[in-house]
Amino acid sequence: MTQKQKCRIYSREDFGELLKAGQLAAHILNYITPFVQKNVSTAELDRLCHEEILRCDAISATLGYSGYPKATCISVNHVVCHGIPSERKLKEGDILNIDVTVILNGWYGDASRMYCVGKISKKAQELIDVARNALSLAVDLVKPGIYLGDIGHAIQTYVESRKFSVVRDYCGHGIGRVFHDNPTVLHFGRPQTGLLLEPGHVFTIEPMVNVGEYKTKLMADGWTAISCDHSLSAQFEHTIGVTETGRQIFTI
Ligand code: MF3
Ligand code: CO
Ligand code: CO
């Protein structure tokens, strides 16, 4: 079934603004890299990211979003997404996703990537590689005339061929002047279903990949999502726009 979602079409000028916001999100992810070390708490990483966001004349989109308490999401090991930064200190072998969404001049940029603390297991490294490749192959497909279902199908097929699973409970989303908009971007599905892409569409792709089962569970804090079987999880995210001939990645 093709989705009859109303999706905003952004102009060439809008793409310029989205690029600035996206590049700022990417800058924050670069900026924080050397601080990701053992014995550093995720609250400290959040504070450093927040200060840099403010120094760049932007604000955090997550702080106060539906009551969310922090400027970033930091999801460690079996946390799938929306981990709340805390006083918990990182330790050797941890893997973590840092997800930053900024608002710059009213425009949103949303990106995340994985970080490692010291030496990590072979399985953890393989998981991170598969999650990164899943995002990359999905981004490469984006152009006018393909369906969102083509993207979801490609991600699912690749991840499952590597014997990992794709999380179903969280998805990518339209973004622009609002945080979470149409379309819903599933990271699994069937070809030639869902939204038919047109120039001017803007959305995130943000596959979450688990070592074990894809099922997730929400913790009592109402935000932190973990893998049901406590297996490791990894995620990468970009904000991208559909152009006449292909795509523009804003968050690089
Ligand atoms: N940045 C997340 C996303 O990729 C959303 C975080 S919402 C929060 O969509 F409230 F949990 F921070
Ligand atoms: Co997102
Ligand atoms: Co995000």
Side-chain angles (χ1 to χ4, degrees):
M1 264 272 270
T2 47
Q3 273 171 299
K4 287 281 172 281
Q5 295 185 331
K6 267 235 178 311
C7 297
R8 246 172 269 259
I9 300 292
Y10 289 100
S11 69
R12 186 182 279 279
E13 292 71 46
D14 297 339
F15 272 39
E17 300 303 314
L18 285 158
L19 180 60
K20 286 185 222 160
Q23 284 177 330
L24 176 55
H27 163 71
I28 303 300
L29 296 179
N30 289 335
Y31 168 81
I32 201 63
T33 305
F35 297 103
V36 179
Q37 306 256 358
K38 71 175 179 195
N39 294 325
V40 174
S41 73
T42 54
E44 174 70 2
L45 296 176
D46 178 78
R47 190 181 62 75
L48 288 163
C49 287
H50 194 205
E51 286 172 358
E52 182 67 5
I53 290 168
L54 298 177
R55 274 195 294 273
C56 295
D57 299 318
I59 60 172
S60 160
T62 54
L63 186 61
Y65 175 79
S66 301
Y68 185 80
K70 293 287 184 180
T72 65
C73 297
I74 305 186
S75 303
V76 183
N77 293 336
H78 65 289
V79 178
V80 171
C81 63
H82 304 166
I84 303 175
S86 73
E87 295 310 320
R88 176 198 186 283
K89 287 186 163 66
L90 295 173
K91 56 181 195 319
E92 177 89 12
D94 281 344
I95 64 168
L96 56 146
N97 173 279
I98 303 182
D99 190 336
V100 171
T101 312
V102 298
I103 311 173
L104 181 66
N105 298 325
W107 295 89
Y108 286 71
D110 186 4
S112 82
R113 63 175 83 140
M114 297 300 295
Y115 300 80
C116 304
V117 182
K119 197 170 153 45
I120 63 169
S121 70
K122 256 186 87 179
K123 193 54 118 185
Q125 187 60 58
E126 192 190 336
L127 174 71
I128 290 171
D129 291 343
V130 168
R132 186 193 297 104
N133 293 342
L135 174 58
S136 162
L137 69 84
V139 167
D140 287 348
L141 287 175
V142 173
K143 63 175 182 185
I146 73 145
Y147 292 85
L148 279 183
D150 299 333
I151 295 175
H153 180 73
I155 293 171
Q156 181 180 12
T157 303
Y158 168 68
V159 169
E160 291 177 356
S161 80
R162 299 294 306 266
K163 306 293 178 219
F164 294 132
S165 70
V166 177
V167 169
R168 312 287 201 264
D169 297 336
Y170 298 88
C171 50
H173 48 92
I175 186 168
R177 273 182 153 119
V178 287
F179 195 170
H180 292 114
D181 205 351
N182 287 335
T184 294
V185 180
L186 303 179
H187 305 112
F188 59 94
R190 284 173 298 117
Q192 299 198 6
T193 61
L195 181 71
L196 179 64
L197 296 188
E198 292 170 38
H201 281 147
V202 174
F203 51 85
T204 71
I205 306 177
E206 48 182 301
M208 285 140 276
V209 178
N210 292 354
V211 165
E213 282 183 59
Y214 63 73
K215 290 200 207 91
T216 70
K217 188 172 107 181
L218 192 63
M219 302 293 281
D221 62 25
W223 288 104
T224 311
I226 65 169
S227 59
C228 256
D229 59 8
H230 288 221
S231 67
L232 288 178
S233 188
Q235 178 181 27
F236 288 83
E237 174 175 25
H238 274 311
T239 299
I240 64 184
V242 183
T243 64
E244 292 294 333
T245 54
R247 76 220 62 90
Q248 181 172 18
I249 305 174
F250 298 128
T251 41
I252 47 174

